[in-house]
Amino acid sequence: MGSAGVQIVCVALGVLGLIGGIVCCAIPRWKVSSFTGQNIVTAQETEEGLWMTCVVQSTGQQQCKSYESLLVLPSDLQAARAMTIISCMVTSLAILILFAGADFTTCVENEDIKPKISLVAGIALLVSGLLLIIPVSWSAHNVISNFYNPLVAQKMELGTCIFIGWAAGVLLILAGGLLMCFSRAKSGSSGGTAKYYGNSASAPAANKNYV
């Protein structure tokens, strides 16, 4: 696959990762109520996200309430808010940088700078993937720990956004790794080019001196 093909694939992976990050940030499905053990009441389901908590009735009606204060939120939720937003911003910036330095665009005319721009975009995608996986994994760890804690009355399970966040983070890390490896290989192959001149090229000039 050529350089343009690899960059197109990375752009597609970055866009999918960005969509996944936006879904994780917007939809309140990080934690959902569990109906195991003594929690046999299935008339309503509780859903918790980064910005609000919702109660879904068995009839389909949904009521959501935003968190009243940032200071009363647990530390994992506060970190998840910040890191998810930063991840989406860094991903958007990385995609724009990749478009600017890609081989299938003419935004940058200098061919020697394009591999460096792609390398910067790859690093940004890698960082954004880590910024998305860390809060998702942290929240998942807390949910699992509380689930097996007998002192916690209301059991919660992993929501859909946890799995979407893991998938989006993996896609972003994969795109960043491809760009970094490809950019290094390309810049390394073009950096050490040497020119050699044979003796035959200087032979006519030498013969002219004897005429």
Side-chain angles (χ1 to χ4, degrees):
M1 183 181 294
S3 59
V6 173
Q7 291 171 351
I8 291 174
V9 171
C10 292
V11 168
L13 294 176
V15 171
L16 291 177
L18 178 60
I19 294 174
I22 294 174
V23 169
C24 291
C25 186
I27 297 179
R29 291 281 297 180
W30 284 61
K31 305 175 185 178
V32 295
S33 57
S34 176
F35 302 109
T36 59
Q38 298 180 356
N39 298 329
I40 58 176
V41 179
T42 60
Q44 62 182 15
E45 180 184 13
T46 303
E47 302 175 351
E48 296 182 5
L50 296 181
W51 310 99
M52 63 185 67
T53 177
C54 298
V55 176
V56 181
Q57 306 292 335
S58 59
T59 57
Q61 297 179 351
Q62 182 177 359
Q63 296 179 352
C64 297
K65 179 182 179 182
S66 301
Y67 297 116
E68 295 179 354
S69 176
L70 177 64
L71 301 178
V72 299
L73 297 178
S75 58
D76 61 331
L77 188 57
Q78 295 180 10
R81 281 185 175 186
M83 298 179 73
T84 306
I85 293 176
I86 294 174
S87 175
C88 293
M89 295 174 61
V90 173
T91 304
S92 302
L93 182 61
I95 294 175
L96 293 177
I97 293 175
L98 180 57
F99 265 112
D103 293 337
F104 56 86
T105 61
T106 58
C107 298
V108 178
E109 299 294 340
N110 193 346
E111 296 294 333
D112 296 332
I113 301 180
K114 283 188 174 183
K116 298 179 181 179
I117 297 177
S118 299
L119 181 61
V120 172
I123 295 174
L125 288 174
L126 183 64
V127 172
S128 63
L130 293 176
L131 288 175
L132 187 57
I133 286 181
I134 290 174
V136 170
S137 301
W138 189 0
S139 298
H141 175 266
N142 291 339
V143 171
I144 295 174
S145 299
N146 294 331
F147 184 83
Y148 291 106
N149 188 0
L151 300 179
V152 178
Q154 185 179 5
K155 303 295 184 179
M156 304 294 290
E157 292 184 356
L158 301 179
T160 309
C161 291
I162 297 292
F163 301 99
I164 294 177
W166 277 330
V170 170
L171 291 178
L172 292 175
I173 292 177
L174 179 61
L178 285 175
L179 279 177
M180 291 175 64
C181 295
F182 176 76
S183 299
R184 286 182 178 181
K186 185 177 179 179
S187 60
S189 61
S190 61
T193 303
K195 294 182 180 181
Y196 298 94
Y197 299 95
N199 295 329
S200 60
S202 59
N207 294 331
K208 291 181 181 179
N209 294 333
Y210 293 100
V211 176

